[in-house]
Amino acid sequence: VKRLLIALALLAASAAEVGADFKTGLWAYLRGDYATAFEEFKAAAGEGNPVAQFNLGHIYANGEGIAKDEAEAVKWYRKAAGQGDALAQYQIGRAYAKGLGVAKDDKEAVDWFEKSAEEDYAKAQYNLGVMYAQGRGVDKDDGDAARWYREAAEQGLAQAQYNLGVMYAWGRGVSKDPEDATKWYHKAAQQGHAKAQYNLGLLYAEGVGVPNDDGLAVNWYRQAAIQGDAFAQNNLGDMYAKGRGVPESKAEAMKWFRRAAEKGNDIAKKNLEIMEKAR
């Protein structure tokens, strides 16, 4: 959050003078003095500073130093959005998508996400992809979903990279291509995306889109398992049980089956039961 505010301040400073009120508000915010930040941002926002308007909306949305008020947040986001602020446009889209401070309205959400996405804001591009994939506020269109996921993925957004990988894996909106699926999973996995790590483990374990490599499968399963992904925990247990990519170890297998079972994974429960009976 603080990095976001600093980035916004720098963007504003590069475009025009941000004004003393905004600068004072920014440093107050960074000190944790939200009451002062609120007053200074409010003064700057009243003078038409779009960055201050966005940050004032942010403070209302999160209830920092004041009572949380999502409707008031949308009001200030809307003022900033009217001046072309892509982050504010995205936040209004998010508000309509979730019914935060406004009545839930998927068509309005799509309109605002589209405005922000056209300004190249990655989170808006990703969310627009989701709306097309789910047919929310627009006709369901996997081709458009994949297109917007790609826009966000190429900017480095891990969730979009993962979703684009899924589209390639299943041939949704794009031609089915295990190699492209692997490429996008890998990009997301390197950023710590647990589901991408798990899916990458599957591909290496099965030799789909990549040469079979049990060691790499174990590596990616482990990374996802450490983050608490129950499917990865179960599969890591299976690798230990069979000695694939790691020395066979019933103790390690049971440890990972147990962790997955505790999260409600039915396959892990059965695997754990089998191993306990065989002891």
Side-chain angles (χ1 to χ4, degrees), residues 146 149-150 153 159-169 174 181 184:
Y149 287 153
R150 187 184 304 280
Q159 184 63 43
Q161 292 168 340
Y162 167 73
N163 282 24
L164 186 56
V166 171
M167 302 297 267
Y168 274 111
V174 291
W184 289 109

Side-chain angles (χ1 to χ4, degrees), residues 63-120:
E64 294 172 324
I66 56 170
K68 185 174 181 177
D69 189 330
E70 290 169 341
E72 194 69 14
V74 171
K75 167 188 158 183
W76 287 104
Y77 287 148
R78 199 180 295 276
K79 288 179 182 292
Q83 297 192 63
D85 189 297
L87 275 72
Q89 292 166 342
Y90 163 73
Q91 291 292 356
I92 297 172
R94 182 172 174 272
Y96 276 113
K98 295 178 176 290
L100 302 173
V102 291
K104 191 173 182 296
D105 188 324
D106 286 342
K107 287 186 178 179
E108 280 287 333
V110 167
D111 285 345
W112 286 104
F113 284 148
E114 195 165 59
K115 286 181 172 67
S116 182
E118 288 171 352
E119 294 295 326
D120 218 24

Side-chain angles (χ1 to χ4, degrees), residues 6-276:
I6 292 170
L8 288 170
L10 292 173
L11 285 170
S14 68
E17 281 297 317
V18 297
D21 291 329
F22 179 81
K23 291 177 182 175
T24 302
L26 175 63
W27 291 116
Y29 186 95
L30 295 176
R31 292 195 308 271
D33 182 358
Y34 299 130
T36 298
F38 170 76
E39 293 299 332
E40 298 295 339
F41 285 152
K42 190 173 183 179
E47 293 173 0
N49 183 317
V51 185
Q53 291 168 343
F54 173 85
N55 286 351
L56 188 58
H58 173 87
I59 285 178
Y60 272 116
N62 291 278
E64 294 172 324
I66 56 170
K68 185 174 181 177
D69 189 330
E70 290 169 341
E72 194 69 14
V74 171
K75 167 188 158 183
W76 287 104
Y77 287 148
R78 199 180 295 276
K79 288 179 182 292
Q83 297 192 63
D85 189 297
L87 275 72
Q89 292 166 342
Y90 163 73
Q91 291 292 356
I92 297 172
R94 182 172 174 272
Y96 276 113
K98 295 178 176 290
L100 302 173
V102 291
K104 191 173 182 296
D105 188 324
D106 286 342
K107 287 186 178 179
E108 280 287 333
V110 167
D111 285 345
W112 286 104
F113 284 148
E114 195 165 59
K115 286 181 172 67
S116 182
E118 288 171 352
E119 294 295 326
D120 218 24
Y121 188 57
K123 286 188 176 180
Q125 292 167 339
Y126 163 72
N127 277 277
L128 193 52
V130 170
M131 301 301 271
Y132 274 108
Q134 297 179 356
R136 291 180 54 192
V138 287
D139 291 335
K140 190 176 186 298
D141 190 319
D142 286 340
D144 277 331
R147 177 168 66 90
W148 285 112
Y149 287 153
R150 187 184 304 280
E151 294 284 341
E154 288 176 348
Q155 292 198 65
L157 192 67
Q159 184 63 43
Q161 292 168 340
Y162 167 73
N163 282 24
L164 186 56
V166 171
M167 302 297 267
Y168 274 111
W170 293 98
R172 290 181 52 195
V174 291
S175 298
K176 187 174 182 179
D177 191 326
E179 290 184 4
D180 272 331
T182 301
K183 179 183 84 171
W184 289 109
Y185 286 151
H186 201 272
K187 288 179 183 293
Q190 286 180 314
Q191 295 192 66
H193 193 287
K195 288 187 180 298
Q197 291 168 341
Y198 165 69
N199 281 6
L200 202 52
L202 279 176
L203 295 180
Y204 277 111
E206 297 173 4
V208 177
V210 289
N212 171 256
D213 189 322
D214 287 345
L216 284 175
V218 167
N219 171 65
W220 290 114
Y221 283 151
R222 189 183 305 280
Q223 291 194 47
I226 289 170
Q227 292 195 67
D229 186 286
F231 291 101
Q233 290 169 340
N234 174 72
N235 285 23
L236 183 56
D238 190 60
M239 299 299 270
Y240 273 110
K242 295 175 180 175
R244 290 183 58 189
V246 287
E248 185 177 337
S249 172
K250 289 184 179 180
E252 281 293 310
M254 291 182 72
K255 179 182 84 172
W256 289 108
F257 286 149
R258 185 171 288 109
R259 289 189 183 183
E262 287 171 352
K263 291 181 177 293
N265 187 287
D266 290 334
I267 298 173
K269 289 177 183 178
K270 291 178 181 178
N271 287 337
L272 185 60
E273 184 180 345
I274 291 168
M275 294 205 77
E276 286 177 338

